[in-house]
Amino acid sequence: MSSQNGRTAPAADTTLGVLDLQGGVCEHLDHLRRLGIDARAVKQPGDFGGLAGLILPGGESTCLARLLKIFGLEELIVARFRQGMKLWGTCAGAILLAGSLTGEAPHLGLIDIEVERNSFGSQLDSFTCEASVPQVSPDPVPLTFIRAPKIVRTGTGVAVLLRIGDFIAAAESSAVLVTVFHPELTPSLAFHRYFARKCGLAPRGEETALDHSWETTSWTRLARIV
Amino acid sequence: MKRVDAKRYELNVQLAQMLKGGVIMDVTTVEQAKIAEEAGAVAVMALERVPADIRRDGGVARMSDPSMIAAIKQAVTIPVMAKARIGHFVEAQVLEALKIDYIDESEVLTPADEECHIDKTRFAIPFVCGARNLGEALRRVAEGAAMIRTKGEAGTGNVVEAVRHMRTMNREIRQLAAMPLEEVTGFAKTNGIPYELALRVKELGRLPVVNFAAGGIATPADAALMMQLGCDGIFVGSGVFKSATPALRARAIVKATAFFNDPAKVLEASLGLGEAMHGLEIGSIPKEQLLAGRGW
């Protein structure tokens, strides 16, 4: 998509993709559409064109890593990333993007952080809380942690966005955002708005704290039988 | 035991949402659990015998030995599920104390109560329950199930019952969605559907929680079939470890589930798998040995 010989540059990419191999895909698409962002599920190599950014959703990181590898999507994501596509990993997605994983080999390795998987224990240890993340939202942001990993270290070129107790819950580099919680499972659009802007897009609507029309079943609109 | 709060239930439904598009596999040993995880399973169901063996052995099938479940929990990082008998709320309490991730209140085990299912609202741990139709699914949701699966006919390697259950649920959801409001009361009464949940499904056009396929799935094409019928993911019981090449088949079913709408990829997943598990014709099973009729 690069312009050559001084011809008119192609229109900037305006779409965000959500990697659709397994996990919380509709939830992210629903949030992005609430911001008026052109968003689509991305599954096949042909789907990666024209993306300003890609979200790697929550799911099971071992499953996602395996599917990325066998379908050759790893190289494709890295190649598009090098051409300027921004990335955001939530939960399992953050695990896939991490440069290092405690006690195991990393996957995409596109941000210099160390992540420890399943740091909290079983589903009984999943929890919600609220925190202030000044760079992302003027209001406190609701946070949902489901069998979450922890970011235990950040390296060069990585800024911490949110630290809770002994771990880092959100961080970013110039081109990659990582959150170990799930903004797509809450009524807050703040992180999606933040990522859209990071990708050079202009999300619609007011900077409201919460989208009160959001419900826990909002995702089902993208997964209807009828 | 008091009821758990709505927030905990929400978190439990959301864990199931994170399993969407994935495959949950029955495993009986640590070694099998590792094979499943390596193949890309999103969770494992730890049990002593797969349904095909439970069916063959007969007798009373109970919750598995907790030390065996604990060993599997130790061996993998993906979520671990285990089965409690229908209505056996103390088996469920034991599994909750063991801190696994999800309980399957399952007809594959011998029911402990023929009148009552477990009151799942009293547990912090999430439950998945089987259903043959919309009414059954929503009765379980009313009792606190955070996830639904078709019952199918477990341990047969025959997908026909899972297809029947999914088609039935879809048909009933479509009917509900299309009918005028005044007909909902009667429809809910006839089908044993809690009224408030009937309204919810009418509005949503689907179940309010994740619905996986289970019971008789044995091939990549079976998995893709259930996904194309609208299931959110797949349980494979005996289908993997009763086949000739479990590791290959496990991977193939994971691939076919993720790319269920892509025949070329389902084909690719189906090549060179060797023999699938031996299948049973449902009509050849004595009525009293059918598992799907357990629970209501």
Side-chain angles (χ1 to χ4, degrees):
Chain A
M1 296 285 281
S2 66
S3 66
Q4 285 174 359
N5 307 327
R7 285 189 207 137
T8 321
D13 296 334
T14 55
T15 304
L16 295 186
V18 181
L19 184 68
D20 180 18
L21 293 176
Q22 188 273 314
V25 181
C26 327
E27 292 81 354
H28 274 296
L29 288 174
D30 178 64
H31 261 49
L32 291 172
R33 287 172 189 172
R34 282 165 190 275
L35 292 168
I37 301 287
D38 181 20
R40 64 164 191 261
V42 169
K43 195 162 202 163
Q44 308 275 8
D47 301 337
F48 283 80
L51 294 182
L54 177 69
I55 297 177
L56 282 67
E60 277 307 314
S61 61
T62 44
C63 172
L64 289 166
R66 164 132 209 101
L67 290 168
L68 276 179
K69 190 160 287 172
I70 54 180
F71 291 110
L73 299 177
E74 264 185 336
E75 295 79 12
L76 205 59
I77 291 173
V78 172
R80 292 286 294 127
F81 174 72
R82 300 242 155 90
Q83 292 163 1
M85 180 179 75
K86 304 284 194 288
L87 294 166
W88 175 16
T90 53
C91 196
I95 295 171
L96 296 176
L97 291 171
S100 94
L101 296 178
T102 309
E104 50 193 316
H107 302 293
L108 294 165
L110 296 176
I111 180 168
D112 188 5
I113 55 169
E114 180 178 340
V115 171
E116 187 180 87
R117 293 203 294 136
N118 282 6
S119 262
F120 294 91
S122 77
Q123 172 62 6
L124 289 162
D125 303 297
S126 292
F127 65 99
T128 58
C129 63
E130 207 175 61
S132 169
V133 192
Q135 291 97 318
V136 172
S137 171
D139 306 289
V141 184
L143 306 172
T144 294
F145 295 80
I146 296 182
R147 288 174 43 87
K150 286 178 180 174
I151 301 169
V152 293
R153 182 187 59 76
T154 55
T156 343
V158 179
V160 172
L161 289 172
L162 174 63
R163 186 186 294 274
I164 303 176
D166 69 338
F167 72 100
I168 296 156
E172 66 173 345
S173 63
S174 58
V176 181
L177 174 65
V178 281
T179 58
V180 301
F181 47 86
H182 294 273
E184 78 283 9
L185 299 180
T186 74
S188 169
L189 303 178
F191 272 91
H192 290 78
R193 194 181 284 121
Y194 186 74
F195 182 63
R197 288 190 180 133
K198 197 178 174 76
C199 297
L201 307 183
R204 147 190 100 188
E206 312 246 320
E207 201 95 3
T208 48
L210 301 176
D211 179 343
H212 292 291
S213 70
W214 182 88
E215 294 178 283
T216 51
T217 49
S218 289
W219 66 275
T220 63
R221 284 185 303 163
L222 296 166
R224 293 170 69 100
I225 295 296
V226 184
Chain B
M1 286 172 80
K2 67 173 182 13
R3 288 202 157 68
V4 299
D5 60 19
K7 196 73 212 172
R8 175 57 52 185
Y9 178 71
E10 200 175 290
L11 270 172
N12 288 340
V13 171
Q14 289 174 333
L15 171 60
Q17 283 170 238
M18 291 304 121
L19 303 177
K20 291 199 306 293
V23 182
I24 300 168
M25 297 181 195
D26 278 7
V27 297
T28 59
T29 63
V30 164
E31 192 201 6
Q32 287 182 358
K34 286 183 170 160
I35 290 173
E37 183 176 46
E38 166 62 27
V42 292
V44 289
M45 177 77 69
L47 72 178
E48 275 165 352
R49 292 174 293 169
V50 293
D53 290 336
I54 292 175
R55 187 177 285 288
R56 187 199 60 206
D57 297 350
V60 173
R62 311 179 183 90
M63 175 186 78
S64 296
D65 174 1
S67 53
M68 168 266 179
I69 299 168
I72 286 174
K73 183 173 175 256
Q74 199 64 40
V76 296
T77 59
I78 56 179
V80 174
M81 302 184 169
K83 292 183 194 291
R85 281 180 266 180
I86 289 174
H88 205 314
F89 54 87
V90 174
E91 283 187 349
Q93 289 167 8
V94 169
L95 291 172
E96 183 173 60
L98 187 56
K99 297 195 96 190
I100 56 165
D101 296 288
Y102 239 95
I103 294 175
D104 181 9
E105 184 182 19
S106 179
E107 70 283 1
V108 165
L109 305 183
T110 311
D113 191 325
E114 293 183 339
E115 288 168 24
C116 305
H117 285 72
I118 296 169
D119 174 5
K120 293 164 276 286
T121 63
R122 292 173 193 276
F123 290 81
I125 194 168
F127 283 81
V128 54
C129 290
R132 289 162 295 177
N133 51 53
L134 185 60
E136 194 170 14
L138 294 178
R139 287 192 292 278
R140 298 295 84 77
V141 171
E143 291 162 356
M147 177 179 182
I148 294 296
R149 57 173 175 76
T150 62
K151 282 182 164 174
E153 188 58 32
T156 60
N158 187 343
V159 79
V160 67
E161 293 301 308
V163 168
R164 189 191 318 282
H165 299 162
M166 193 57 195
R167 281 203 184 273
T168 303
M169 281 189 227
N170 288 350
R171 187 180 310 119
E172 291 168 343
I173 291 169
R174 281 195 299 268
Q175 285 172 349
L176 199 48
M179 73 180 52
L181 196 58
E182 64 269 28
E183 289 180 13
V184 174
T185 321
F187 186 80
K189 183 183 180 218
T190 309
N191 294 286
I193 303 176
Y195 182 70
E196 294 302 322
L197 285 171
L199 292 182
R200 197 91 185 97
V201 166
K202 179 172 172 55
E203 176 202 333
L204 297 177
R206 58 156 290 145
L207 288 183
V209 299
V210 164
N211 183 18
F212 270 43
I217 292 140
T219 69
D222 286 350
L225 170 68
M226 295 310 299
M227 292 298 288
Q228 286 196 29
L229 284 173
C231 289
D232 297 309
I234 302 289
F235 279 90
V236 186
S238 319
V240 168
F241 291 101
K242 282 285 163 190
S243 75
T245 51
L248 277 180
R249 186 165 293 266
R251 288 174 194 204
I253 292 177
V254 168
K255 269 201 226 178
T257 301
F259 287 87
F260 67 91
N261 260 334
D262 183 339
K265 287 220 166 54
V266 178
L267 162 65
E268 193 185 303
S270 307
L271 296 170
L273 295 182
E275 217 173 315
M277 73 177 280
H278 174 69
L280 278 178
E281 179 63 53
I282 304 298
S284 72
I285 305 169
K287 281 254 179 312
E288 65 280 8
Q289 287 176 25
L290 291 172
L291 303 177
R294 295 168 163 184
W296 51 274

